[in-house]
């Protein structure tokens, strides 16, 4: 029988490889490696990404205690702190965790609790001056008056976040390196966006006017609008609904996606001819207006209404390198689909490579 001592090959691996292994493990499993041997006892404490996701063995109180212990025992920098779990309810501990992170130069924070759990983000979050990525879900956000911005932030994602329109405009304009902005379930009658390095923009909510004031490198825009009957009437009759402010601020736009969701079944409602300015685009746009970089357009829930078709016509006539125009008709516009296709095929296309895809969902 061989009584020779067995070599601990894993413990003798280079430190960089051990750290690579630990980072790829779920956080609970990474901490449990402490029991392997004395050499492994606190190896996990140096991992830079702390990600807490759903775990059947860690529910609410146990999870709160676990997160607190991990932070207290952690040694070294924390680059990423993420809580995306339905197992955690609102608790004062969240404020303490963010306070701890604000003193450790954290670079990424992602917070999402359960479906019914809304929390107020503590003011110490705005002391995390090394942040490059911030993603918040279902919370209240109130930037302090003394806040001067996140100077290193590149990604900002706010989903179902309660924040005033003025506050979000100020926040965006005070993040000079911002490249990706996503606002979901956000309602604002007039939203002004000034972000000189912004490349990707996603907006979802009720908007009457979107103004891109300073977005010279913007290449991709997705807008999903929720419109009630009252909002539609106000939207169509208002002369202040100026899309020129929107497109004029994106001279290098390459990809445009638009969705319109009618919350009260008004997507095929007729619109009084008196309130429609069908020559709006030709009259309001400069004669040299062109989307010189636009390659892809995707529009959904199109009913074939005159103002919709004129907008599509305008894009086709002013996008010299357009490749794909994808149109998905509204589920309510069944009878008018043939007429819609016929009209689309008659529109002049300035791009010789432009293709129109009529998608039946």
């Amino acid at each position: 029988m061989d009584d020779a001592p067995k070599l601990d090959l894993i413990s003798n691996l280079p430190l960089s490889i051990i750290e690579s292994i630990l980072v790829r493990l779920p956080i609970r499993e990474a901490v449990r490696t402490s029991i392997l041997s004395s050499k492994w006892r606190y190896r996990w404490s140096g991992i830079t990404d702390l990600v807490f996701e759903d775990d059947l063995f860690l529910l609410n109180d146990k999870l709160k205690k676990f997160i607190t212990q991990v932070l207290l025992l952690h040694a070294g920098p924390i680059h990423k702190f993420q809580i995306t779990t339905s197992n955690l309810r609102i608790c004062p501990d969240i404020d303490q965790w963010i306070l701890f992170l604000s003193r450790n130069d954290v670079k990424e924070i992602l917070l999402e609790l359960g479906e019914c759990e809304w929390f107020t983000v503590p003011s110490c979050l705005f002391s995390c001056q090394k942040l490059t990525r911030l993603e918040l879900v279902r919370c209240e956000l109130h930037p302090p008056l003394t806040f001067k911005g996140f100077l290193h932030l590149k990604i900002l994602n706010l989903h179902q976040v309660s924040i005033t329109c003025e506050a979000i405009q100020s926040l965006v304009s005070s993040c000079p390196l911002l490249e990706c902005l996503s606002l979901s379930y956000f309602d604002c009658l007039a939203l002004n966006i000034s972000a000189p390095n912004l490349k990707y923009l996603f907006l979802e909510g009720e908007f009457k006017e979107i103004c891109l004031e300073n977005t010279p490198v913007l290449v991709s825009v997705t807008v999903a609008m929720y419109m009630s009957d009252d909002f539609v009437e106000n939207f169509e009759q208002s002369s202040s609904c100026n899309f020129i402010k929107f497109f004029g601020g994106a001279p290098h736009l390459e990809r445009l996606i638009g969705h319109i969701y009618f919350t009260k079944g008004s997507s095929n409602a007729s619109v009084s001819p008196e309130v429609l300015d069908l020559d709006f685009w030709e009259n309001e746009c400069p004669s040299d207006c062109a989307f010189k970089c636009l390659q892809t357009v995707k529009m959904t829930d199109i009913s074939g209404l005159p103002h919709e078709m004129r907008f599509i016509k305008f894009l086709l006539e002013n996008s010299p390198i357009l490749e794909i125009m994808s149109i998905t008709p509204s589920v309510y516009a069944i009878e008018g689909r043939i007429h819609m296709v016929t009209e689309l095929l008659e529109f002049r296309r300035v791009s010789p490579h432009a293709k129109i895809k009529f998608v039946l969902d």
Side-chain angles (χ1 to χ4, degrees):
M1 191 173 186
D2 187 5
D3 294 328
K6 294 180 173 61
L7 293 176
D8 186 356
L9 297 177
I10 296 181
S11 296
N12 292 324
L13 288 172
L15 182 59
S16 60
I17 295 179
I18 292 177
E19 290 176 348
S20 180
I21 293 173
L22 289 171
V23 167
R24 286 165 171 76
L25 291 174
I27 185 67
R28 194 170 72 93
E29 299 302 323
V31 172
R32 291 182 66 190
T33 60
S34 295
I35 65 175
L36 293 178
S37 71
S38 58
K39 290 184 178 180
W40 282 82
R41 182 159 298 169
Y42 293 110
R43 284 284 176 86
W44 68 268
S45 64
I47 59 178
T48 57
D49 294 355
L50 303 180
V51 178
F52 303 91
E53 298 176 308
D54 281 331
D55 189 323
L56 294 177
F57 298 97
L58 293 173
L59 302 177
N60 200 40
D61 291 339
K62 287 185 178 180
L63 180 55
K64 287 189 295 184
K65 183 178 179 181
F66 178 68
I67 295 175
T68 299
Q69 289 178 334
V70 167
L71 291 175
L72 290 176
L73 294 174
H74 191 273
I78 299 175
H79 293 164
K80 179 179 182 179
F81 181 79
Q82 175 178 339
I83 299 178
T84 48
T85 175
S86 57
N87 296 339
L88 184 66
R89 294 195 293 272
I90 300 172
C91 59
D93 304 68
I94 296 177
D95 294 10
Q96 297 301 316
W97 299 337
I98 296 179
L99 178 61
F100 178 88
L101 294 169
S102 69
R103 297 169 177 171
N104 284 269
D105 292 339
V106 63
K107 295 182 179 179
E108 298 184 19
I109 293 180
L110 298 85
L111 299 176
E112 179 181 0
L113 306 187
E115 285 287 338
C116 301
E117 300 296 327
W118 282 70
F119 63 98
T120 299
V121 175
S123 59
C124 56
L125 172 77
F126 299 95
S127 299
C128 300
Q129 283 300 302
K130 295 298 179 68
L131 276 181
T132 60
R133 179 182 180 186
L134 177 61
E135 297 191 15
L136 301 174
V137 179
R138 288 186 294 275
C139 64
E140 294 184 10
L141 190 63
H142 305 290
L145 295 177
T146 55
F147 179 61
K148 302 300 183 183
F150 293 117
L151 300 183
H152 302 279
L153 194 69
K154 292 187 176 182
I155 299 174
L156 178 61
N157 186 350
L158 304 180
H159 181 79
Q160 288 184 286
V161 171
S162 177
I163 181 173
T164 66
C165 196
E166 293 76 14
I168 191 61
Q169 290 175 166
S170 176
L171 175 59
V172 170
S173 63
S174 60
C175 300
L177 300 183
L178 190 65
E179 296 181 357
C180 181
L181 174 62
S182 178
L183 303 176
S184 302
Y185 290 87
F186 181 74
D187 298 339
C188 182
L189 288 182
L191 178 64
N192 297 316
I193 296 176
S194 177
N197 286 292
L198 190 66
K199 296 179 180 179
Y200 308 98
L201 175 63
F202 177 87
L203 299 174
E204 179 182 13
E206 281 193 3
F207 302 96
K208 176 183 172 185
E209 181 176 299
I210 302 170
C211 180
L212 302 178
E213 293 182 338
N214 180 26
T215 54
V217 297
L218 189 63
V219 296
S220 178
V221 173
T222 299
V223 179
M225 299 181 66
Y226 292 88
M227 304 181 74
S228 63
D229 286 343
D230 294 338
F231 194 81
V232 169
E233 182 178 356
N234 181 62
F235 183 88
E236 289 169 341
Q237 293 183 5
S238 173
S239 60
S240 65
C241 176
N242 194 343
F243 283 102
I244 307 305
K245 294 180 181 179
F246 182 82
F247 291 112
H252 299 291
L253 192 64
E254 297 177 5
R255 189 167 184 260
L256 173 64
I257 298 178
H259 308 272
I260 298 180
Y261 302 101
F262 293 87
T263 59
K264 293 185 180 179
S266 60
S267 62
N268 65 341
S270 59
V271 183
S272 173
E274 298 87 51
V275 303
L276 287 177
D277 180 6
L278 296 181
D279 296 322
F280 170 81
W281 297 103
E282 290 77 6
N283 294 338
E284 296 292 333
C285 293
S287 57
D288 60 345
C289 178
F291 305 99
K292 297 179 181 179
C293 300
L294 190 62
Q295 300 176 31
T296 304
V297 175
K298 180 179 179 181
M299 302 180 69
T300 65
D301 205 34
I302 298 299
S303 301
L305 297 175
H307 55 287
E308 294 176 332
M309 302 305 289
R310 281 299 183 96
F311 176 55
I312 294 172
K313 179 176 181 287
F314 178 78
L315 287 177
L316 289 171
E317 291 179 346
N318 292 276
S319 305
I321 66 170
L322 184 68
E323 296 180 359
I324 296 293
M325 167 80 76
S326 175
I327 306 293
T328 302
S330 167
V331 294
Y332 302 102
I334 297 176
E335 296 181 358
R337 289 181 179 179
I338 294 178
H339 176 73
M340 198 186 310
V341 171
T342 302
E343 191 172 358
L344 286 171
L345 293 176
E346 291 176 351
F347 289 158
R348 184 177 69 88
R349 310 173 203 179
V350 68
S351 169
H353 305 293
K355 296 181 180 179
I356 298 177
K357 287 188 176 181
F358 197 73
V359 182
L360 296 178
D361 189 356

